[in-house]
Amino acid sequence: MGWSATVLRAVAAIVAGLALYASFPPLGWWWAAPLGIALLVGTVADRPWKAAFGWGALAAVAFEYPLLSWTGTYVGAVWLFALLVVVLATAVPLALVPLLARLPGAPLWIACLWVAGEALIERAPFGGFPWSKLAFGQAGGAYAKLASLGGAPLVSFAVVLSGAGLWALVRSLRSRRRVVPLVGALVAVLVGPVVGLAVPAHPASAPGDRTITVAAVQGNVPRAGLDFASQRRAVLDNHVRETQLLADRVAAGQVRRPDLVIWPENSSDIDPFANADARAEIQAVTDRIGVPVVVGAVLRGTTNAEGTVLVQGPRNAAVVWTPRVGPTDQYVKRHLLPFGEYIPIRGIASLFSGDVARVVDFEPGTGTPVLDAGPARLGVATCYEVVFDGDVRDAVTAGADLLTVPTNNATFGDTNMTYQQQGMSRLRAVEHDRAVVIAATSGQSAIIAPDGTVLDRTGELFTPGVLVDTVPLRTTTTLATRLGAGPEWVLAGLGLATVVVGGLVRRRKGGAA
């Protein structure tokens, strides 16, 4: 391959990766993802596997680097290790695409293989890091409603099917192949968006819905000028103050009294079970607003009456605080963020960044992610947990009629992380037919209807705000909720099986993959 052809492939790979990135918020150009896939498949389909791996890795860097650069805000260069992992998870399936490209129905098998790659990164290493699933860039697009049928894996499958179908369509037109392959390619391009648009949308409100008024409090975080201990206190004080102002507006008749108030993750970084002042402050404002407040609290290690250590490290908890009673229920985050809430391979990671020493390993929880929160059975996906299909589904199958994503995005500064997380939350709303409340310390908080529509959101980052909206409490179950990981396993299994078939065919023909 000459230098000019090499340069063209390099440019194509980079443009393809940037197109995938552009499909994610804040740009949200959902239609760019299938175009990027078409260009990417065209770049690797006729190459040996080593070359396909290289071009796939280049495209993955162009996609993942801008998407995940926020992860380095806290732990410095360690995030490059995470980047390497997700790049490999993209590049390895692409290295296998040449085995599938000449098989009948190639777009179908390529889409299944992509799902297999996403299924892997959902689970490994370190519990998985599936932030870059293509489905998460599709909220509000033509493919989004497919989530209610087969979850995020079906959405990603449909996007890749369209993109690979577009590649096959162009190839058929250029080679003037028979009508059947051309029609098949056209079907692959269109089936995803056509079915997605045809699927009935969940109504934002429906006859017979029970509804509640919910408030999301965004207290904001001091950005400079305070030592760490003082900043923790200031964050708690900020959320107390915003809730007090909400109570004043309710008393003045300016806003309807909420039935439930939700604070963000880490809104009380001071353990209210160990600190009497923090406990008294939370109780006082809860009594004043007169409804349960879900407090994001960091709970420190605990001992029993005999002094035996029960829990060694801190825990990231959502605690239901009830007027005139105190804490009545809690959920401890189960799926911790690697290199953020704990450091795997700490010895190796410390070689890349001195910031590793600042990270204290949290203890994961083990309970069901549902809280009895006043009138709601509140399903909790704390921050990072919203990216995991099973974590959100666990809440719904355990009886949640409302979902919340309490999050502390202040750590990641003025990055796109919060907007990407909002896109995921919108897809989860569609997937499970549940309203979703995002409460963020520094923004962007949002309230999302079951159809994925954003009912309300706060403005600029690092500003205080309160959202008050009426949302339905739903107990319906979508097909995606009932099927769980079934569609993912079927699609991934088909993709891997076809790789084996493609390898056997290539070997029989004496070709090199």
Side-chain angles (χ1 to χ4, degrees), residues 47-55 95 513:
R47 296 288 90 199
W49 74 265
K50 291 181 181 179
F53 175 85
W55 296 125

Side-chain angles (χ1 to χ4, degrees), residues 24-52:
F24 281 69
L27 291 176
W29 297 348
W30 61 268
W31 44 266
L35 297 180
I37 290 293
L39 188 56
L40 187 51
V41 173
T43 302
V44 303
D46 61 346
R47 296 288 90 199
W49 74 265
K50 291 181 181 179

